[in-house]
Amino acid sequence: MKIDNSVVMITGAASGLGRATAERLVALGARVLLVDLDATQGSALAASLGSAAHFVQADVTSDEQLDRAADAGVSQFGKLTGLVTCAGLLYAHKLIGREGRTHDAAAFERVLRVNVTGTFLAMRAASRVILASAARETETSSDGERGVLVLVSSVAATEGQLGQLAYAASKGAVASMVLPAARELASAGVRVVAIAPAAMETPMIAAAPASVQQSLVDQTLFPRRLGKPDEFAQLVEHIFENTLINGCTLRLDGGVRMSAK
Ligand SMILES: NC(=O)c1ccc[n+]([C@@H]2O[C@H](COP(=O)([O-])OP(=O)(O)OC[C@H]3O[C@@H](n4cnc5c(N)ncnc54)[C@H](O)[C@@H]3O)[C@@H](O)[C@H]2O)c1
């Protein structure tokens, strides 16, 4: 998929990995539909990116709001060719925590709702519009490619640490959606790929205690630092451009294998 002239919907675009992705894709000639709950940061990012960006405030747990957002991409830019799902929540609690405090079931369900249902609803909304856009487009790549969906899992999907029950379950579910979606959308020329990052330098990880951040850096083989949001965006760029990558989850991790804590 050529990035130049593509139109990409990015959820969680107001911060961190989504923001870096928007900035890189626009620099490469794409137009981006920025979707986030945070209207202040989302609108500010759209203003800084100019006419190549359009912000829609939406909660990824609302099917109606996501459908409206995807449709806004078409009214604003004429089509949709890609999706990157960066909206997500981090949450940590043990099954039985300090002083016997148990893991709140509502918190567990909230993480699943935002990270999993939110990803599913974004895939559904974007796929509907990508397929409709593709039906109108006369020009496709030599392979007949029409779209790319990039989902965001985590190394916690396979190496969940102490207290990461909800988060690890949610990121495992995201990774598990990749293959069935890629199988389904293959006949329409749409690829589905997930990225599983390790700790990246974003507001999400900045909220974790410094000792937790340092421990994650110490477990990284090389380079011994947090990942940079633009390194995530670089991988999104490569996934868009390399048509052979499909139906898999790619780690972006400096060789880390997270230990129990
Ligand atoms: N930063 C890391 O270390 C790291 C590592 C692995 C995976 N991830 C995943 O990458 C994704 C992006 O993380 P980040 O580090 O950029 O986080 P971030 O907190 O900087 O950004 C997340 C964005 O998602 C938005 N958001 C949250 N809930 C939403 C909802 N219901 N509807 C719409 N928008 C919502 C927030 O407003 C925010 O702008 C997340 O799914 C996260 O789990 C992050």
Side-chain angles (χ1 to χ4, degrees):
M1 166 78 55
K2 275 191 291 175
I3 290 177
D4 189 27
N5 200 35
S6 63
V7 180
V8 182
M9 173 162 141
I10 303 170
T11 68
S15 176
L17 305 184
R19 182 189 179 96
T21 301
E23 290 171 342
R24 176 165 277 271
L25 293 183
V26 167
L28 294 166
R31 285 158 297 160
V32 290
L33 181 67
L34 312 172
V35 178
D36 206 291
L37 268 181
D38 186 337
T40 308
Q41 300 268 27
S43 308
L45 177 62
S48 76
L49 294 174
S51 60
H54 180 67
F55 173 70
V56 178
Q57 184 180 27
D59 185 332
V60 294
T61 66
S62 159
D63 51 358
E64 183 267 324
Q65 289 180 32
L66 272 182
D67 283 338
R68 184 171 49 76
D71 288 334
V74 179
S75 30
Q76 192 69 24
F77 299 123
K79 64 178 181 180
L80 194 64
T81 49
L83 169 72
V84 186
T85 62
C86 294
L89 287 185
L90 183 64
Y91 179 82
H93 205 291
K94 292 180 184 169
L95 269 180
I96 314 295
R98 279 203 200 105
E99 291 155 14
R101 259 186 295 134
T102 52
H103 193 309
D104 182 33
F108 183 87
E109 284 169 1
R110 174 78 189 148
V111 174
L112 276 270
R113 177 121 189 103
V114 174
N115 292 2
V116 184
T117 309
T119 300
F120 159 75
L121 291 175
M123 291 165 77
R124 194 182 71 177
S127 301
R128 175 180 59 78
V129 176
I130 288 170
L131 267 51
S133 306
R136 286 196 307 275
E137 288 255 317
T138 48
E139 192 191 327
T140 57
S141 73
S142 58
D143 287 310
E145 184 175 35
R146 291 179 159 141
V148 183
L149 312 185
V150 179
L151 315 184
V152 183
S153 178
S154 164
V155 293
T158 43
E159 294 133 44
Q161 296 191 292
L162 274 168
Q164 287 194 321
L165 279 95
Y167 187 70
S170 74
K171 293 303 181 178
V174 169
S176 293
M177 288 195 285
V178 170
L179 188 57
R183 286 175 163 162
E184 174 184 338
L185 296 173
S187 57
V190 176
R191 291 181 291 125
V192 186
V193 178
I195 299 176
M200 308 293 286
E201 205 177 321
T202 71
M204 178 181 278
I205 213 76
S211 58
V212 171
Q213 295 183 42
Q214 190 56 50
S215 159
L216 291 169
V217 168
D218 290 345
Q219 292 171 45
T220 305
L221 296 183
F222 181 85
R224 284 233 162 157
R225 58 168 171 78
L226 298 176
K228 298 183 193 305
D230 188 58
E231 290 170 327
F232 172 89
Q234 285 174 49
L235 184 53
V236 172
E237 174 188 346
H238 186 73
I239 290 169
F240 268 82
E241 288 180 342
N242 191 328
T243 317
L244 207 55
I245 302 176
N246 195 10
C248 62
T249 297
L250 303 177
R251 291 179 68 110
L252 182 67
D253 67 357
V256 77
R257 296 295 178 271
M258 294 198 301
S259 63
K261 56 182 177 181

